[in-house]
Every structure is written in structure tokens, then in C-alpha cells.
């Protein structure tokens, strides 16, 4: 059964998604990965992770910007250590960008019956990987969220002084 061609709004969405992934990789390449494995997002003017500030534990996306920044430099080992879901996102983005552009150009989903299936599959994979590794981090032992420039040390969870919430 022949598939109907993709409509113009869907084709535009695919191009916008491809451009967004390209911008993500470009911005990540311009950032210097934080040696702690998290905190690279601070170079974008963003604050510390609210979840980490409130709980002293990393959130599922802690280290994701660092992972993508490492992956754009070809350091997949460091990307995986920073955040496996971020490494998966970065590595899958390059072929995904090509696929999105090709689907838009050809006006049909290439290799699949729909464009939704593979996109939702990839999104679900990233969410599952993120949740699984986050649970392993949480259950695996103490995590040290060090101030910028400090080396991680074993011990109980500690937040950098600028991220500690008074009264906790």
C-alpha cells in the first residue's frame, strides 16, 4: 500500500527539528565540557539544577549538556560517563538530522511507514535510558556535587556552597 505524501506542515516540522538538533550540536561544540561531568549548562547562563539544589542528588538530565559537549569532540567514553542518555542523543542526532531532511525532501518517511514511529521510539529510548541510569546513580551510592574546579571525593552528598539551600 502506497503511503500518502507528507503534508507541508509535517515537512516543515521535520526541517525545524533537524535544525534544532543541528543547533544543539553546534552550541554543545562551542561549550567546554565541565571536568566534573555536569554543570556545562552553566556556561549558557543557566542556574544550577533545581533538583540537585533541593535534594543533593543529580536529576535524570544532570550531565546531559556535558555529555553532548564531549560527544561533539568524539569523546564518547566521557560522554557516556557524564550521562548515557545525552551520549545516545548526541550520537543519534547526526543520522537523525540526515533522515529528517531526506524525509522532508522526498515527502515520505524513508524506511518506515510513518515519521512518528521512529521519532517516538527514539524519544522513548532516551527517556528509558535516562531513567534507568538515573536510578542506578541514585541507588548506587553517594554522589558528590562539587563546586566548580573541585575534584569529586568519596563521601556523603554535598552541594557546592553557591547551590546550598539555607535550612536544609
Amino acid at each position: 500500500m502506497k503511503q500518502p505524501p507528507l503534508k507541508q506542515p509535517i515537512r516543515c516540522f521535520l526541517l525545524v527539528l533537524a535544525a534544532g538538533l543541528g543547533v544543539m550540536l553546534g552550541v554543545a561544540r562551542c561549550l567546554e565540557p565541565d571536568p566534573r561531568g555536569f554543570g556545562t549548562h552553566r556556561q549558557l547562563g543557566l542556574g544550577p539544577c533545581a533538583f540537585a539544589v533541593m535534594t543533593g542528588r543529580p536529576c535524570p538530565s544532570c550531565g546531559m549538556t556535558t555529555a553532548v559537549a564531549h560527544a561533539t569532540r568524539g569523546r564518547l567514553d566521557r560522554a557516556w560517563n557524564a550521562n548515557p542518555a545525552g551520549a545516545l542523543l548526541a550520537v543519534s542526532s547526526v543520522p537523525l538530522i540526515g533522515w529528517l531532511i531526506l524525509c522532508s525532501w522526498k515527502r515520505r518517511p524513508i524506511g518506515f511507514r510513518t515519521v512518528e514511529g521512529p521519532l517516538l521510539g527514539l524519544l522513548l529510548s532516551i527517556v528509558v535510558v535516562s531513567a534507568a541510569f538515573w536510578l542506578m546513580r541514585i541507588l548506587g551510592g553517594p554522589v558528590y556535587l562539587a563546586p566548580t574546579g573541585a575534584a569529586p571525593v568519596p563521601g556523603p552528598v554535598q552541594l557546592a556552597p553557591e547551590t546550598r539551600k539555607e535550612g536544609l
Side-chain angles (χ1 to χ4, degrees):
M1 176 197 250
K2 188 163 170 130
Q3 305 155 333
L6 295 174
K7 296 188 184 305
Q8 187 65 26
I10 298 296
R11 293 175 56 218
C12 287
F13 171 75
L14 297 178
L15 292 176
V16 167
L17 184 56
L21 289 169
V23 167
M24 174 196 72
L25 293 174
V27 168
R29 182 65 177 102
C30 293
L31 299 175
E32 186 63 37
D34 194 302
R36 298 172 298 164
F38 65 94
T40 302
H41 70 281
R42 300 293 303 267
Q43 296 171 43
L44 298 170
L46 300 171
C49 173
F51 185 89
V53 169
M54 295 179 72
T55 67
R57 300 299 242 172
C59 75
S61 65
C62 277
M64 197 168 283
T65 307
T66 305
V68 176
H70 277 305
T72 61
R73 289 164 172 74
R75 295 304 314 254
L76 300 181
D77 56 333
R78 291 182 183 179
W80 186 264
N81 287 335
N83 187 303
L88 175 64
L89 175 64
V91 169
S92 63
S93 289
V94 175
L96 182 57
I97 290 168
W99 182 78
L100 292 166
I101 293 169
L102 187 61
C103 289
S104 180
W105 181 53
K106 292 280 196 174
R107 295 182 169 103
R108 62 184 177 84
I110 306 299
F112 298 92
R113 287 203 255 169
T114 67
V115 292
E116 296 88 357
L119 292 177
L120 289 174
L122 180 60
L123 179 63
L124 181 62
S125 297
I126 291 170
V127 168
V128 167
V129 168
S130 186
F133 280 93
W134 177 65
L135 284 174
M136 289 190 332
R137 281 181 178 173
I138 295 296
L139 300 175
V143 176
Y144 180 77
L145 300 177
T148 303
V153 295
V157 175
Q158 298 179 10
L159 288 174
E162 69 272 6
T163 62
R164 282 195 191 124
K165 190 171 182 179
E166 294 301 320
L168 289 180

